[in-house]
Amino acid sequence: MIRAYPARASVQPGERLVLHVATDSRRFRVHFYLWRDGFQAMHSSAWLPGERAPERGAGDDWRWPAYEFPVPAHWPTAVYIAHLEEARGRQGPSLALQSGAALFVVRAAPKTHGHRRGRGMLYKLPLATYHAYNHSGGGCYYDKPPRSSDPPGARVSLQRPGGGIGGPTWGAPDHYDAASARQTFAHWDARFIRWLARQGYAPDFCTDLDIHDDPELPLRYRLLVSVGHDEYWTAPTRDAVEDFVAGGGNVAFFAANLCWWRVHLVEQGTALVCHQGSARGAFDHWWPASGAGRPEEGLSGASYRHGGGWWDGARQTTGFVVQQPEHWVFAGTGLRRGEAFGADTWPPLAGYECDGALLDAFDRDSGQATLSAWADECGTPDSYQLLAACPLDRRWQELPPRERHLAGEGVHAATMGVYERGGTVFSAGTTDWAQVLADGRDRRVERITRNVLDRLLRH
């Protein structure tokens, strides 16, 4: 058995990557792969002496032996997988590994001329969410969470195996994809990145914690992209993204359950703390006054509390019903008002978790959705345009409580929308957009994706 984790999951060309490795093999080596349209071999290390090291708790720094590797100046910005080989034999690289692999990002080197918006697309990995569900050490935020007193909440370490690949992950398996666990790089991000590569898009890459550390990072780009399940955000990361939009930057969220929890980066950036409940409520829910008092609708226009979740088994939905077919998002799709799409895809486009704007009504005969007069009080920007909606009925396994409603009450729906507030923000309202896009059987989903990316890269 061999396992590893990076001291920091983001580096620049010319820096040194530090991997902490424990193995019962007398020697090992590391094969480095870039992920675009599949694995691209970049470098293999020499054989290195292996050392045993104990497993620790989910909230601890595991303090395993450290090995340094130079990051060549010519390595492009991308997501990289370090695949570890023991002396007893080599297996090929895989995105589904729960041991013997570690994920890291090589960021683009900053340009010396300092021009703002000089680059196109910045793709952000949700590292905080990966680690919220990372079960290495026998715990995570959802199972036997280690406690923190200052700040109060549950604490998970970034200094342990996992975090996208290379560790066990908590949660129900996906009925539609048994080959990859949710909350891993393979499940959503790898698919979207492969699609981008095949379509000729060439984004730069970062993690959410890079934006936490460098709030000006997005300012070098026209478009920030987030995909899949981007649930856990630090306040500095959110501040930076909202400032980016206010200054004219664009964001595309092909994601849901977005910005649901606030997390605090502690211990010199090596651990995350989140307070998710007590007799006095959850201090780190973004939306309620008892928490952060800062509804996530202010970021994306939508919230999980107006949507819902269906985690186990096959989902049944009506698909997304088009509200504004004349909008540029739908150009070239041929979709008409009241027409649904994404009901018969694999998986259904309304994903295992969905975000929605607050609706007063959804007429099932006409397919017309009515945005609530209270939507702005929930944080949805006045400029929000409701593009499509997928009603979530009582079969959904969670329809959360919210303002003026108990759990299950009122209209719950996944909503696709867009708003302008300096820059433009698009929100797909579903976690599983990347899976449907990669499956390729619904060309309308692909065309909408292209419309969003191309428009927001130009404007």
Side-chain angles (χ1 to χ4, degrees):
M1 171 72 79
I2 185 168
R3 291 185 292 172
Y5 60 91
R8 182 178 174 83
S10 179
V11 292
Q12 288 184 336
E15 295 181 344
R16 301 186 75 81
L17 172 74
V18 177
L19 288 179
H20 295 269
V21 182
T23 177
D24 52 10
S25 175
R26 59 185 176 83
R27 63 176 188 163
F28 72 96
R29 61 179 176 176
V30 184
H31 305 281
F32 294 96
Y33 296 90
L34 173 157
W35 178 265
R36 280 183 180 157
D37 185 7
F39 286 105
Q40 178 181 335
M42 299 299 290
H43 175 70
S44 294
S45 76
W47 287 101
L48 301 167
E51 293 186 47
R52 297 175 185 268
E55 179 174 307
R56 301 182 189 274
D60 300 328
D61 183 337
W62 287 32
R63 303 185 184 278
W64 279 357
Y67 300 80
E68 291 191 1
F69 302 89
V71 179
H74 67 272
W75 277 17
T77 177
V79 179
Y80 287 75
I81 304 297
H83 182 263
L84 289 85
E85 176 190 357
E86 294 179 293
R88 62 179 63 96
R90 179 180 180 183
Q91 296 179 337
S94 167
L95 291 180
L97 292 173
Q98 292 192 8
S99 64
L103 177 149
F104 64 99
V105 167
V106 172
R107 305 190 309 281
K111 292 184 178 180
T112 56
H113 56 60
H115 289 176
R116 294 160 70 91
R117 312 252 186 270
R119 289 173 167 144
M121 184 191 309
L122 179 63
Y123 189 106
K124 176 178 73 68
L125 286 189
L127 191 66
T129 302
Y130 290 163
H131 275 287
Y133 292 85
N134 176 11
H135 207 261
S136 292
C140 65
Y141 282 154
Y142 298 87
D143 180 53
K144 299 185 286 292
R147 307 314 303 174
S148 167
S149 57
D150 185 19
R155 169 195 172 103
V156 295
S157 175
L158 305 178
Q159 301 295 294
R160 57 186 174 131
I165 194 173
T169 304
W170 184 91
D174 188 341
H175 172 82
Y176 299 95
D177 178 21
S180 68
R182 293 178 177 132
Q183 330 313 336
T184 63
F185 174 70
H187 201 74
W188 294 296
D189 291 290
R191 287 179 162 96
F192 202 94
I193 292 168
R194 170 175 261 173
W195 182 86
L196 288 173
R198 291 180 175 180
Q199 305 306 314
Y201 296 99
D204 288 356
F205 290 87
C206 72
T207 74
D208 46 1
L209 300 186
D210 289 323
I211 297 175
H212 173 102
D213 291 336
D214 180 7
E216 294 189 355
L217 175 58
L219 300 179
R220 304 169 198 154
Y221 297 85
R222 289 299 311 155
L223 172 62
L224 178 68
V225 173
S226 168
V227 173
H229 194 206
D230 198 356
E231 182 179 6
Y232 288 83
W233 286 57
T234 68
T237 301
R238 180 169 175 179
D239 291 343
V241 174
E242 291 183 346
D243 288 347
F244 168 65
V245 174
N250 303 319
V251 182
F253 291 116
F254 297 98
N257 198 212
L258 184 76
C259 201
W260 186 239
W261 293 107
R262 176 178 60 183
V263 286
H264 309 273
L265 193 62
V266 299
E267 299 295 331
Q268 291 78 51
T270 64
L272 293 166
V273 172
C274 183
H275 187 282
Q276 294 181 303
S278 70
R280 292 185 291 155
F283 301 159
D284 286 321
H285 251 324
W286 274 105
W287 66 271
S290 59
R294 191 175 169 185
E296 50 273 15
E297 288 97 321
L299 175 65
S300 71
S303 169
Y304 176 72
R305 69 186 186 280
H306 308 308
W310 190 323
W311 306 295
D312 302 302
R315 299 188 297 275
Q316 298 178 30
T317 80
T318 61
F320 280 78
V321 181
V322 176
Q323 304 296 306
Q324 298 190 49
E326 70 282 357
H327 195 277
W328 58 260
V329 163
F330 295 119
T333 64
L335 287 164
R336 301 180 301 275
R337 190 181 310 277
E339 185 177 357
F341 67 100
D344 300 321
T345 53
W346 187 272
L349 186 58
Y352 103 110
E353 291 184 338
C354 295
D355 288 355
L358 181 61
L359 303 182
D360 276 341
F362 186 94
D363 187 293
R364 295 184 180 272
D365 292 330
S366 66
Q368 181 177 349
T370 304
L371 190 65
S372 175
W374 302 105
D376 60 340
E377 292 192 11
C378 291
T380 298
D382 292 338
S383 61
Y384 181 84
Q385 297 183 65
L386 178 62
L387 302 178
C390 176
L392 310 181
D393 62 26
R394 302 293 178 183
R395 292 172 295 179
W396 280 69
Q397 292 162 2
E398 184 176 43
L399 300 172
R402 54 207 164 131
E403 303 93 330
R404 302 182 180 85
H405 296 289
L406 298 176
E409 288 186 347
V411 179
H412 287 262
T415 64
M416 179 190 303
V418 64
Y419 74 85
E420 294 184 7
R421 185 183 279 169
T424 300
V425 176
F426 168 85
S427 175
T430 171
T431 53
D432 290 7
W433 187 279
Q435 291 173 296
V436 174
L437 179 66
D439 181 64
R441 281 180 277 186
D442 193 324
R443 295 299 181 187
R444 298 167 298 186
V445 171
E446 180 171 328
R447 184 58 189 263
I448 291 168
T449 308
R450 281 183 164 278
N451 288 345
V452 170
L453 296 179
D454 292 347
R455 171 89 174 202
L456 299 189
L457 283 168
R458 289 196 309 266
H459 291 77

